[in-house]
Amino acid sequence: MSWSRIRAIYRKDMRDALRDSRVLTALLFPLALGLVYSFIFPDEIGNTEKIKVGIVSSTPTRLTSIIPREAGRTVDLTFVTMKDEAELERDVRSEEVDIGLVIPPDFDADVRAGLSPVLITVLPSSPTLSGDVAVALLSRSVEALAAQPPPALIERRSLPPETGGDTAVIDVLGARTQFILVATLMLLAMIAVYAVPTVLVEETEKKTTDALTLIASTTDVIAAKALFGMGLSIVGVPVLFIITRADPAAPVPLAVAVALSALVLVGIGLLTTRVFRTQQQVNTWSGVVMLVILAPAFTIGLSAPAIVNKILWLLPSVHTFRLIANAFAGRTLYPGEGLSFGVLIAWALGAYGILWWSLARREDL
């Protein structure tokens, strides 16, 4: 492997890309889309937190009048009476209410008597700001009702996640972050399956690819082309995050996931040039490849049926989306990060291995 030859090919590709309006369009479109989304979905919708609370209580209680008083004007509370715990859990799971309260009989009298009755809060499987705010208000309200410590024992009960499906990013991180993730995956896909093939196909049509393999080894050519795609991705993704004001909670894992994903997708893009030999073919079929790559952003990200996610599970972009969503959240929305990295590495080895074999075979012929 000759680094001087790799750098020479890389610089040539970069110069060609900057002069090619098609490549610039592939870079600018996801950036513009991300910018539009960042303004359509602002960081804060308003200063008032709206919380809907489901109540199950067999006896009257003053708690529903004390909680709004403790909340003040920054929280808009709505109470909905439920007939039993089953209905309450169903409405919490379906997000009809943000939090549920199961109030035991004679709760007010027991609190004033210092008997410490158990007050059960029912929360969704994924923690929410509304739920945390409601629990904090509940603690203060019970203390106000009792007028003496300890007023009551508050038991937090989080519903188990439903089996078979993935978490919807939009429910946890919000619409704005969801579409930033979509724009990120789109940018990586545009670079990999359109920008990189456009440069390579032009070389094929001008018969310069054969000249490259005469002065450089197969490994040098592959490394230079991969470096070209990686360079565009490593510059483009941070620019996207800056203009969209993205605020990932774990920047280092995010950088690792983006770099590895860019390497994999660029390898796939390079492989497509073994099939698409003209610019017309790239223009026609790259969109199909891109739709396949982007599919996980709309199936996993928006919680599609489990069978759809199982079918698409082997795609590398599935694991890209899972990893960058975890990095933005700063916690494990999707388990199995080690497996996701393993799948991406396997795709990288497979893509570049097939590409090397294809170019080496061509040289032998």
Side-chain angles (χ1 to χ4, degrees):
M1 181 180 292
S2 172
W3 288 108
S4 61
R5 290 173 183 154
I6 292 173
R7 285 195 301 270
I9 299 172
Y10 169 77
R11 287 195 297 267
K12 178 195 75 67
D13 288 343
M14 278 295 182
R15 287 194 299 268
D16 292 342
L18 293 176
R19 292 194 297 262
D20 196 324
S21 60
R22 296 166 300 183
V23 175
L24 293 178
T25 300
L27 293 173
L28 294 177
F29 180 74
L31 296 177
L33 191 63
L35 184 61
V36 170
Y37 281 145
S38 69
F39 283 103
I40 292 177
F41 302 100
D43 293 318
E44 295 181 357
I45 298 176
N47 295 323
T48 301
E49 182 72 22
K50 294 184 178 181
I51 302 175
K52 185 179 286 188
V53 183
I55 300 287
V56 174
S57 178
S58 59
T59 57
T61 177
R62 293 177 53 232
L63 199 57
T64 55
S65 61
I66 294 176
I67 295 177
R69 187 181 68 198
E70 294 294 323
R73 283 184 279 178
T74 59
V75 179
D76 181 10
L77 285 161
T78 302
F79 294 95
V80 181
T81 302
M82 308 286 180
K83 63 180 180 180
D84 53 34
E85 290 188 41
E87 182 184 5
L88 179 66
E89 291 186 1
R90 184 171 62 251
D91 281 11
V92 171
R93 189 181 296 280
S94 63
E95 301 180 1
E96 292 295 326
V97 296
D98 297 298
I99 184 175
L101 298 181
V102 180
I103 303 175
D106 301 319
F107 176 77
D108 293 19
D110 289 347
V111 167
R112 287 192 294 269
L115 299 180
S116 298
V118 178
L119 180 65
I120 298 175
T121 64
V122 181
L123 300 171
S125 57
S126 298
T128 63
L129 177 61
S130 298
D132 292 339
V133 170
V135 171
L137 288 174
L138 183 61
S139 299
R140 296 210 308 260
S141 301
V142 173
E143 291 175 5
L145 177 64
Q148 61 178 351
L153 300 176
I154 299 177
E155 177 184 328
R156 295 182 60 145
R157 181 191 300 171
S158 295
L159 296 178
E162 295 182 281
T163 58
D166 279 313
T167 304
V169 172
I170 196 170
D171 294 336
V172 180
L173 299 180
R176 180 172 172 273
T177 301
Q178 159 72 22
F179 286 109
I180 289 176
L181 298 186
V182 172
T184 301
L185 196 55
M186 179 180 291
L187 178 60
L188 294 175
M190 289 284 280
I191 290 171
V193 303
Y194 186 78
V196 172
T198 292
V199 173
L200 264 70
V201 165
E202 185 176 3
E203 290 180 348
T204 301
E205 291 179 331
K206 293 181 178 179
K207 306 299 183 181
T208 56
T209 304
D210 294 334
L212 287 178
T213 55
L214 290 176
I215 64 172
S217 67
T218 301
T219 304
D220 292 343
V221 173
I222 294 173
K225 301 303 181 183
L227 186 61
F228 165 64
M230 289 284 293
L232 294 178
S233 301
I234 291 172
V235 172
V237 171
V239 171
L240 174 64
F241 290 164
I242 291 171
I243 65 176
T244 57
R245 296 167 287 117
D247 186 24
V252 174
L254 176 63
V256 174
V258 168
L260 180 56
S261 300
L263 182 65
V264 173
L265 294 178
V266 167
I268 294 173
L270 291 172
L271 273 179
T272 63
T273 62
R274 312 311 300 160
V275 179
F276 309 149
R277 309 310 296 264
T278 66
Q279 187 59 48
Q280 183 178 357
Q281 290 177 333
V282 172
N283 294 338
T284 302
W285 296 105
S286 61
V288 176
V289 180
M290 198 175 307
L291 285 176
V292 174
I293 293 175
L294 288 177
F298 300 98
T299 58
I300 293 179
L302 299 178
S303 193
I307 186 64
V308 176
N309 291 329
K310 288 180 180 179
I311 293 173
L312 298 176
W313 191 85
L314 289 177
L315 292 178
S317 49
V318 169
H319 303 279
T320 295
F321 192 89
R322 291 165 67 99
L323 291 172
I324 62 178
N326 285 350
F328 265 85
R331 58 188 177 90
T332 305
L333 296 180
Y334 303 107
E337 288 191 348
L339 178 61
S340 292
F341 278 113
V343 172
L344 289 176
I345 292 171
W347 267 93
L349 294 175
Y352 288 100
I354 294 173
L355 184 62
W356 181 88
W357 173 82
S358 176
L359 289 177
R361 182 171 176 270
R362 180 177 177 179
E363 286 182 359
D364 293 339
L365 295 176

